[in-house]
Each structure stands twice: as structure tokens, then as C-alpha cells.
Amino acid sequence: LYSWYRYKREVYTAVKDNGVIKYDFNADGHKDYIFIERDNANTVRLAYCISTPTAYQRRLSNVKFNANSDDLSSLRYSFYMKNGAFNIDINTFAHNEGSCFATGAYSYNQSTQKFKMISSNADCSPVFDPITGEEYPIYPPELPDL
């Protein structure tokens, strides 16, 4: 995945182990998987496979973004496990506007068979107009429903 700002491109690893997070989300004794998929147009989406008694069910999340950028802003996603919860961090930077972040922790709800956000946090650091002293309007990224 790529983060881009002022003609500089750096590679970031979104998740470890070849793009796979392994964890027993539904507590059935089998590892479940969260992974990223990329198509030829560099569109990236987050998918997951949850174990059932006989097989795995593949599901798509609402996390979808483009790995290329052609403007003076950047968007960086991080996916990881912490304290038994799946976490998503989104960091944004917009030239002459400022930067923002949003982070959310998700747990798997066995009764609904979906991930549910259990905590979130967001904040921004705007740029101030040197003439008026007013801050440029900037908003934190919206955390997805999985």
C-alpha cells in the first residue's frame, strides 16, 4: 500500500504475515482470518473468513480504498490486533489543511456474526490561516462498519 505526499512514495505494510491477521474471533477453536485484497486497479478492500462447523465463510467488509494517490494529501490505514480486539487506525494529512486520525476497536459478535465497534477515538490538528487566525476546516476520517 502506498502513502503519497509531494511526489514522494513510501511503502507501508498494512498488516503482517503477508497481509493476514489470524485470530479465533468466534471462539470455536479454529483460526479466523482478516486480510486485504487488491485488484489490478490498486483498489484495496478488507475481507475476512470466519470458521463454521464445516467450512469458512468469506465476507467483505466496508473498508475499501485506493492504494494510489494523485493529490497533495495522504491516507494511511493500519490493521492490527490488540488486547483481543481488531483495530483500525486511519491517519489523514491534507496539504495546507492539517492532519487527523481516527482509531476504532472491534470485537466479533457471535450472535449477529458481524464485527461491532467497541471503542473509538478521533482528533484533528488543523492549520491556522496566518492572516485571519482562523483554522481551516478539517474533519477526522469516518471509521467503517465491518
Side-chain angles (χ1 to χ4, degrees):
L1 304 185
Y2 300 97
S3 177
W4 183 88
Y5 171 66
R6 290 191 182 181
Y7 312 106
K8 182 178 179 184
R9 195 169 271 184
E10 296 178 12
V11 177
Y12 291 96
T13 302
V15 289
K16 296 184 188 298
D17 300 322
N18 297 321
V20 175
I21 292 176
K22 302 171 190 171
Y23 188 81
D24 186 9
F25 291 104
N26 59 359
D28 66 353
H30 299 285
K31 295 282 187 195
D32 304 304
Y33 302 92
I34 296 178
F35 52 95
I36 53 174
E37 298 177 330
R38 189 177 85 183
D39 64 15
N40 291 336
N42 283 325
T43 299
V44 178
R45 62 185 176 183
L46 189 71
Y48 55 97
C49 288
I50 301 294
S51 59
T52 68
T54 59
Y56 280 90
Q57 290 183 347
R58 181 180 173 276
R59 300 178 186 153
L60 292 176
S61 74
N62 292 330
V63 179
K64 188 175 182 180
F65 54 93
N66 196 297
N68 292 330
S69 178
D70 294 325
D71 56 26
L72 294 177
S73 64
S74 67
L75 184 64
R76 179 177 167 189
Y77 285 77
S78 298
F79 308 109
Y80 58 94
M81 292 296 298
K82 182 177 180 182
N83 299 327
F86 176 62
N87 288 261
I88 297 177
D89 292 347
I90 307 173
N91 294 289
T92 62
F93 176 82
H95 182 64
N96 286 338
E97 293 178 6
S99 61
C100 293
F101 80 91
T103 183
Y106 299 80
S107 68
Y108 187 77
N109 185 320
Q110 293 184 35
S111 62
T112 62
Q113 297 184 355
K114 293 183 179 181
F115 283 92
K116 179 182 178 181
M117 188 182 303
I118 54 175
S119 67
S120 65
N121 189 21
D123 198 6
C124 289
S125 297
V127 171
F128 290 87
D129 185 298
I131 298 171
T132 65
E134 297 290 322
E135 63 184 50
Y136 287 101
I138 187 168
Y139 305 98
E142 187 173 335
L143 289 166
D145 291 327
L146 300 180

